[in-house]
Amino acid sequence: GPDGYQARLRAAGATAQHVCAAASGAGAFCRPARSTDDGPLEALAGAPASHALLYLLVAGRSRGTGFTYDLTPLEAR
């Protein structure tokens, strides 16, 4: 029922936050992927037709390593 779904969604969200925090602590990039149409996203992830994804995380090595960006306010330049 709706109460069970809400509890499962909260538990999945909490787990996703812990996974993202651990990935970040290890220097990896980790973000949730969302879609308003779940069918194509589930197919892309290779989920069986009988499964419904609650959260899908995109994780990997950050491409921004070593990238520097000048954050000096324009007025100070």
Side-chain angles (χ1 to χ4, degrees):
D3 292 337
Y5 174 77
Q6 291 297 325
R8 186 172 296 161
L9 189 59
R10 281 192 301 274
T15 300
Q17 287 178 344
H18 288 297
V19 169
C20 284
S24 176
F29 171 89
C30 184
R31 295 288 182 271
R34 293 196 234 172
S35 175
T36 57
D37 186 8
D38 293 335
L41 185 61
E42 292 167 354
L44 181 67
S50 61
H51 287 74
L53 299 178
L54 294 177
Y55 273 81
L56 178 64
L57 299 177
V58 176
R61 197 169 83 189
S62 175
R63 288 191 286 173
T65 302
F67 175 74
T68 58
Y69 187 75
D70 184 4
L71 298 175
T72 306
L74 292 175
E75 303 84 36
R77 291 184 192 175

